[in-house]
Amino acid sequence: MNIISVVGARPNFMKIAPIYRVLEEKRKNLEVKNDSAKTITFFQPPAIIHKICHTGQHYDDKLSGIFFEELGLPKPDFYLGVGSGSHAEQTARIIIKFEKVLLKQEPDLVIVVGDVNSTIACSLTAVKLGVKVAHVEAGLRSFDRSMPEEINRILTDSISDYLFVTEKSGVDNLKHEGIPDNKIHFVGHVMIDNLVHYLPISENSNVLKRFKLNKNDYILVTLHRPSNVDFRERLEEIINLLNRLSEKKKVILPIHPRTRKNMYEFGLDKKISENIIITDPIGYIDFIKLTKNSQLIITDSGGIQEESTYLGNQCITIRTSTERPVTVEIGTNHLVGDDLKKAEDTALSILSGSKKSGKTPELWDGKAANRIVEILMKDF
Ligand code: UD1
């Protein structure tokens, strides 16, 4: 089994890490078996070769390097260094560079995760060279084609050979799009595997102390969607909302580079209340601790809607749609659309004690990567 896993942007690293851990364990077990079979005297190629390709879509240490260190991932075997650019430039640069890697390495399988530009670029490159593709986190749909991620999801799913799905809605979406049943595997969520693995470790983080925060007594905010941060008026309205909330509760905002850049360009940095703690993007372990101990989360991220549902934390999502409906249907996510008045009312009611109770979605049990590797090993 000769596999290349692709990572590119921040949310990819924590999804590949559990797959890496399971494949490493299998590889080591198979090597021990081979060693102890004394009859084998001729050279045996390793049973599992797993290499990691980092496209370099995210390149800042705080969006990339820190995750490799914290998640125990090895240095990537291939680094494409594509950097930022328009969607066309970024996607095209990845395709050109990844094709060279594939031609040289001739893997049996490429694993892609999530919905970022690296996901579609690498899956497209692989299928065109006849290399099988496994898409982890397949089937999610926001039904909003103005989101670049929605296009990446639809295209990647339509060309992948293995579609590993995190929640039941994903299975329905794929069937509806005519994907044959034998390609669809409902396995749970690798990102939750990673959360389960790192939760006990995150207890040792001193992030609350560093930011002088008390448990269950602050609001954690993340914002980076173009629809919220790329337009001056919208970003200003959101900042005004956060300013008002910060009069009632401490707010911490680890700021994404896209949001920071726009905030300065629009001159909104001067409008932010001093009560809001603005900090650079935060590492994975600190971030889990911040999420777990928050009274309320306000976000437009995809993954944080799921992590908060798993942890049972109240989360307000300021987006018009979610591709992760299970977090709203049975989890603790409140999808308020782009109506900031609704966001504020919901936030105030949560701060005064009201809570949506939630359940853990099916198969979010920390074993998704094991299921994925089992399915793949049957075929290779
Ligand atoms: C990308 C993903 C998005 C994901 C997000 C997580 C796509 C289409 N978007 O959005 O789905 O939720 O990552 O963060 O793939 N920048 C830096 N340093 C970096 C990377 C980017 O400063 O390491 C700045 C650059 O100014 C860049 C901007 O951030 O132009 C946006 O980066 P980009 O990779 O284009 O998209 P994200 O908004 O990060």
Side-chain angles (χ1 to χ4, degrees), residues 11 57-60 63 84 87 116-117 149 224 256-258:
Q57 177 175 346
H58 281 175
Y59 43 87
D60 277 2
L63 291 184
S84 299
H87 284 260
V116 301
N117 286 344
E149 294 82 2
H224 75 282
H256 188 282
R258 174 190 281 276

Side-chain angles (χ1 to χ4, degrees), residues 207-258:
V207 69
L208 299 186
K209 221 187 212 170
R210 279 198 334 261
F211 290 108
K212 300 191 176 62
L213 297 168
N214 294 323
K215 283 186 177 181
N216 206 27
D217 199 24
Y218 59 90
I219 306 172
L220 170 63
V221 181
T222 81
L223 291 168
H224 75 282
R225 292 278 157 214
S227 57
N228 280 329
V229 306
D230 281 4
F231 307 95
R232 187 184 196 285
E233 207 178 301
R234 175 71 180 168
L235 187 55
E236 185 167 11
E237 280 172 7
I238 294 178
I239 288 172
N240 290 340
L241 164 67
L242 298 180
N243 284 347
R244 289 194 296 278
L245 291 175
S246 74
E247 283 164 20
K248 305 202 176 317
K249 198 58 77 177
K250 272 195 178 175
V251 172
I252 178 163
L253 168 62
I255 197 160
H256 188 282
R258 174 190 281 276

Side-chain angles (χ1 to χ4, degrees), residues 43-266:
F43 173 73
Q44 278 230 318
I48 297 176
I49 301 171
H50 181 215
K51 293 187 176 170
I52 295 181
C53 178
H54 187 338
T55 64
Q57 177 175 346
H58 281 175
Y59 43 87
D60 277 2
D61 192 49
K62 292 191 170 94
L63 291 184
S64 170
I66 185 169
F67 294 94
F68 272 80
E69 275 165 42
E70 289 191 341
L71 301 174
L73 286 168
K75 203 170 158 280
D77 300 274
F78 314 102
Y79 185 75
L80 308 185
V82 299
S84 299
S86 72
H87 284 260
E89 287 166 345
Q90 196 174 55
T91 311
R93 281 202 292 263
I94 299 171
I95 290 176
I96 292 169
K97 294 193 168 188
F98 192 54
E99 186 180 51
K100 294 194 171 77
V101 173
L102 292 183
L103 288 172
K104 208 163 173 195
Q105 299 295 317
E106 298 183 344
D108 305 311
L109 178 77
V110 166
I111 300 180
V112 295
V113 292
D115 54 17
V116 301
N117 286 344
S118 302
T119 312
I120 175 59
C122 292
S123 51
L124 185 57
T125 315
V127 287
K128 291 227 173 170
L129 290 175
V131 178
K132 289 213 175 333
V133 173
H135 182 206
V136 175
E137 217 187 12
L140 297 179
R141 296 290 180 269
S142 65
F143 302 101
D144 174 1
R145 290 197 178 198
S146 69
M147 285 179 78
E149 294 82 2
E150 182 75 352
I151 306 298
N152 294 342
R153 292 180 201 116
I154 294 168
L155 296 182
T156 304
D157 286 342
S158 70
I159 55 176
S160 292
D161 300 277
Y162 296 86
L163 295 115
F164 293 115
V165 181
T166 55
E167 61 167 84
K168 280 279 175 62
S169 72
V171 174
D172 299 338
N173 294 332
L174 293 173
K175 285 188 174 172
H176 185 71
E177 288 171 21
I179 307 272
D181 285 2
N182 64 350
K183 288 188 175 185
I184 305 171
H185 307 275
F186 175 42
V187 290
H189 203 342
V190 286
M191 195 189 64
I192 301 299
D193 292 10
N194 214 50
L195 184 58
V196 171
H197 186 83
Y198 279 96
L199 257 181
I201 298 165
S202 76
E203 286 303 315
N204 300 327
S205 154
N206 64 1
V207 69
L208 299 186
K209 221 187 212 170
R210 279 198 334 261
F211 290 108
K212 300 191 176 62
L213 297 168
N214 294 323
K215 283 186 177 181
N216 206 27
D217 199 24
Y218 59 90
I219 306 172
L220 170 63
V221 181
T222 81
L223 291 168
H224 75 282
R225 292 278 157 214
S227 57
N228 280 329
V229 306
D230 281 4
F231 307 95
R232 187 184 196 285
E233 207 178 301
R234 175 71 180 168
L235 187 55
E236 185 167 11
E237 280 172 7
I238 294 178
I239 288 172
N240 290 340
L241 164 67
L242 298 180
N243 284 347
R244 289 194 296 278
L245 291 175
S246 74
E247 283 164 20
K248 305 202 176 317
K249 198 58 77 177
K250 272 195 178 175
V251 172
I252 178 163
L253 168 62
I255 197 160
H256 188 282
R258 174 190 281 276
T259 313
R260 186 186 283 277
K261 195 168 118 224
N262 289 342
M263 216 159 67
Y264 279 93
E265 259 176 41
F266 300 152

